[in-house]
Amino acid sequence: MLPRAQALISEAALTGNLTALARRGGARLLLPVKADAYGHGLEAVARVAARHPDVWGFGVAVPQEAVTLAALGLGKPVLLLTPPALEEVGLLADLGVRLPVASLAEADALPPHARAHLKVDTGMNRLGARPDEAVAVGLRLAERGVLEGAYTHFATADEPDLSFAHEQLSRFRRVLEALPPVLAHAANGGGVLSFGPLPGLALARPGLAAYGYPPAHLRDRARLTPVMTLRARVTHVHAVHPGETVSYGGLWRATRETTVATVGFGYADGYPRGATGRAQVLVAGERRPVLGRICMDQCMVDVTGLEVRPGDWVEAWGADEITVSDVAAWGGTVEYEVLTGVGARVKRVPVPEEVTAGG
Ligand SMILES: *Cc1c(COP(=O)(O)O)cnc(C)c1O
């Protein structure tokens, strides 16, 4: 079938973002590709990123993502960022997946061929060993010959006030000083853009920024381009007369003759229903309002005065005019949630570098 909604994935944008972030962070990248690469499609993103010299490896959130990635055989390390169940450890270690470790019990449960990254909780209070316990865990891992890395995660690095992030960093450094040399990493996207190079930390883990969305106040720190364009075809064009309403609840009422295009994306495709009443889309390069409630599979757009036919593309977001940041603001949410909400039926279509480079 012809795709209705598609997510174009710009390989040039992704590659450029990786280069810019590695340069800004003075580090190689452990690229987070969790949640289907922030909705962009795990396989397409990982294949492009694996060829990038600044990419050390990949970070995933759940064991199944690690298994899927390992099966692609891209030859780059994969780190699981959350604790596996005990019965998953053997298979993950056999696949070469790097495992997070936060206790002596977890350290002792690893098979001898495993590779571990010590997870230190410096203040996020989500996962990891507290700094006072982390050193003993790290030394046990080193003793067992399985210690490859150590990491922590910032709670506030994407906010303007960096005082707590600095505090977390110094807690992490005190742990590192007590360990043999390891691949250390801490910075998420906000951390990379705020701090720049962190001496002694060889890796960085920028996620959302790698997909083109830095925190708003850090936009000028690196040249980043949104990687995904979400678009769908017009399925129907019709006239609506003054006084008539459009969509569920009759929220929008025409005050003049209006040409309405029905478009094939809705909230099941990831176009947030919460953006109803504020959303705009791009039709033939022009911003046009979405009329009335956003439906599950469709939405309606005011195309009065434009030459629009069924089969034409309408853009929900992309790199140019309307971005995921706009859509997230209209929907009362964040870019992370909009991108990871792109529906399973939206076809991810990689746009090879040569095509975008040529314009
Ligand atoms: C998701 C995640 C990241 C990436 O965070 P961004 O805010 O997207 O840059 C980094 N590290 C860990 C442990 C994560 O879970």
Side-chain angles (χ1 to χ4, degrees):
M1 294 295 110
L2 288 175
R4 194 158 278 176
Q6 16 174 267
L8 305 178
I9 305 301
S10 164
E11 296 186 357
L14 178 61
T15 303
N17 294 346
L18 296 173
T19 302
L21 288 163
R23 192 167 300 160
R24 169 73 198 163
R28 295 190 77 204
L29 306 179
L30 200 170
L31 179 68
V33 290
K34 57 196 182 184
D36 204 26
Y38 288 51
H40 292 66
L42 175 62
E43 181 168 347
V45 166
R47 284 195 188 285
V48 173
R51 295 195 299 263
H52 198 292
D54 294 327
V55 171
W56 176 81
F58 299 105
V60 295
V62 301
Q64 183 56 54
E65 294 170 334
V67 171
T68 303
L69 201 46
L72 295 178
L74 299 174
K76 296 248 174 161
V78 176
L79 171 63
L80 179 63
L81 294 165
T82 64
L86 196 55
E87 55 269 43
E88 293 167 329
V89 166
L91 174 64
L92 290 167
D94 292 348
L95 291 171
V97 174
R98 274 64 169 175
L99 297 171
V101 173
S103 70
L104 291 173
E106 287 169 11
D108 291 338
L110 293 180
H113 62 283
R115 270 166 291 195
H117 286 224
L118 172 68
K119 177 67 196 281
V120 187
D121 186 355
T122 56
M124 175 76 176
N125 276 316
R126 185 170 68 179
L127 290 173
R130 299 177 76 90
D132 51 340
E133 302 152 358
V135 173
V137 179
L139 292 175
R140 177 73 60 87
L141 290 167
E143 210 176 276
R144 298 204 52 214
V146 297
L147 180 63
E148 180 180 67
Y151 71 111
T152 192
H153 190 51
F154 293 126
T156 59
D158 40 18
E159 288 167 25
D161 180 355
L162 290 174
S163 48
F164 188 61
H166 277 291
E167 174 60 31
Q168 286 194 266
L169 193 56
S170 55
R171 290 175 189 167
F172 185 48
R173 285 197 186 287
R174 283 198 287 277
V175 172
L176 293 177
E177 281 158 17
L179 298 178
V182 290
L183 281 173
H185 42 107
N188 53 2
V192 168
L193 294 168
S194 298
F195 288 124
L198 294 171
L201 277 62
L203 305 178
R205 308 186 307 272
L208 189 65
Y211 301 99
Y213 290 94
H217 69 288
L218 299 171
R219 224 157 248 166
D220 58 346
R221 299 285 174 94
R223 186 190 293 269
L224 302 172
T225 310
V227 171
M228 184 196 292
T229 297
L230 184 76
R231 63 180 195 171
R233 293 183 187 277
V234 170
T235 55
H236 179 66
V237 179
H238 61 290
V240 171
H241 306 305
E244 294 180 354
T245 64
V246 170
S247 196
Y248 292 118
L251 295 184
W252 185 85
R253 186 181 298 274
T255 55
R256 55 169 169 77
E257 277 302 317
T258 305
T259 309
V260 173
T262 302
V263 179
F265 52 66
Y267 59 80
D269 302 292
Y271 196 61
R273 183 175 180 276
T276 291
R278 288 176 292 276
Q280 299 180 339
V281 293
L282 272 193
V283 187
E286 262 193 49
R287 273 177 185 258
R288 288 305 179 100
V290 174
L291 304 176
R293 278 256 158 77
I294 293 164
C295 306
M296 183 187 293
D297 317 295
Q298 313 172 72
C299 61
M300 279 66 85
V301 177
D302 184 344
V303 296
T304 307
L306 297 175
E307 279 290 318
V308 175
R309 276 184 223 87
D312 290 353
W313 290 107
V314 169
E315 188 176 308
W317 63 68
D320 305 320
E321 187 68 24
I322 296 172
T323 68
V324 170
S325 303
D326 299 317
V327 177
W330 295 329
T333 182
V334 292
E335 292 95 337
Y336 297 88
E337 195 178 34
V338 173
L339 286 168
T340 59
V342 173
R345 72 181 175 194
V346 175
K347 188 164 170 56
R348 275 68 169 177
V349 181
V351 180
E353 201 139 351
E354 311 79 69
V355 176
T356 40

